[in-house]
């Protein structure tokens, strides 16, 4: 009887991190919005220019202007948010990094519930529950048509927004650097 009582799970213990104190999981949320003019002279979209990090897939490194979070034994996930505009939607890119030290972690419409021992990320984006395995991605694309009145007459453009959530897998904290 004592053996069974000793095996009961502790509901208040933190999620077990199986990857060691020198490892983290890198997750990117990438949103690209592209506009394609169908008819007329559609007004230009905004220009953005604030990329703050670069991920090298071959070297498995993250380089940033500055690392905006603490790299210590409690860092579990680095979340990269990347946003780009192209064509009639505008131009340029913006990006930012976030450190995640515990779960659940929420940032806008994304909630990271945890990382499984195999490296799969459990999360919710908007109202959709997702499990994205290590080195896999989830893609969601939406296209809408916009018509605006211009002095030259109506202008029509299709805008396609593609959202990708990529689980780049377990990486070495020592390979996060500034440029």
């Amino acid at each position: 009887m004592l053996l069974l009582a000793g095996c009961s799970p502790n509901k208040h213990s933190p999620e077990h991190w199986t990857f060691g104190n020198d490892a983290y999981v890198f997750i990117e949320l990438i949103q690209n919005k592209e506009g394609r003019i169908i008819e007329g002279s559609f007004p230009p979209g905004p220009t953005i220019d604030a990329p703050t990090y670069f991920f090298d897939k071959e070297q498995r490194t993250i380089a940033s202007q500055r690392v905006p979070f603490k790299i210590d034994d409690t860092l579990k996930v680095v979340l990269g948010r990347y946003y780009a505009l192209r064509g009639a939607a505008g131009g340029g890119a913006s990006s930012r990094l976030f450190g995640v030290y515990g779960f659940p972690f929420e940032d806008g419409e994304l909630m990271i519930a945890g990382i499984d021992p195999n490296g799969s990320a459990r999360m919710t984006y908007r109202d959709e529950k997702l499990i994205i395995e290590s080195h896999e991605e989830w893609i969601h694309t939406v296209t809408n048509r916009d018509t605006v009145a211009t002095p030259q007459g109506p202008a029509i453009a299709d805008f396609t927004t593609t959202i990708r959530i990529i689980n780049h897998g377990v990486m070495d904290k020592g390979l996060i650097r500034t440029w």
Side-chain angles (χ1 to χ4, degrees), residues 10-176:
N10 181 352
K11 292 182 182 179
H12 301 290
S13 65
E15 187 163 328
H16 182 67
W17 190 250
T18 60
F19 307 109
N21 291 337
D22 59 345
Y24 71 98
V25 172
F26 181 42
I27 296 172
E28 270 188 304
L29 189 151
I30 300 171
Q31 183 175 340
N32 290 304
K33 185 173 184 180
E34 184 164 351
R36 186 172 63 86
I37 297 173
I38 304 298
E39 179 183 312
S41 181
F42 206 89
T47 300
I48 57 175
D49 185 22
T52 63
Y53 76 90
F54 174 75
F55 173 57
D56 183 326
K57 292 178 187 179
E58 300 300 317
Q59 301 296 318
R60 302 201 43 81
T61 61
I62 295 175
S64 181
Q65 291 174 331
R66 67 176 187 80
V67 178
F69 52 86
K70 186 172 57 170
I71 301 172
D72 64 12
D73 290 351
T74 63
L75 178 67
K76 305 292 186 233
V77 171
V78 172
L79 172 64
R81 290 188 68 104
Y82 179 88
Y83 182 65
L85 299 173
R86 293 186 180 89
S94 176
S95 64
R96 185 163 179 212
L97 293 172
F98 300 88
V100 178
Y101 302 89
F103 307 109
F105 172 82
E106 293 187 45
D107 180 50
E109 298 175 306
L110 179 69
M111 189 273 294
I112 303 172
I115 303 295
D116 293 336
N118 65 0
S120 296
R122 290 178 279 112
M123 58 186 67
T124 302
Y125 183 71
R126 296 185 177 154
D127 291 326
E128 188 166 349
K129 290 191 181 296
L130 307 170
I131 296 177
I132 303 174
E133 294 181 23
S134 183
H135 303 287
E136 296 294 328
E137 71 180 285
W138 173 85
I139 300 174
H140 177 73
T141 302
V142 175
T143 300
N144 60 30
R145 183 162 284 184
D146 194 9
T147 303
V148 296
T150 70
Q152 296 82 24
I156 302 170
D158 283 344
F159 293 93
T160 300
T161 301
T162 302
I163 298 164
R164 297 171 52 213
I165 302 175
I166 306 167
N167 179 349
H168 291 286
V170 178
M171 295 178 41
D172 184 343
K173 291 178 186 176
L175 298 178
I176 301 172

Side-chain angles (χ1 to χ4, degrees), residues 1-9:
M1 195 64 147
L2 288 174
L3 180 64
L4 290 176
C7 292
S8 65

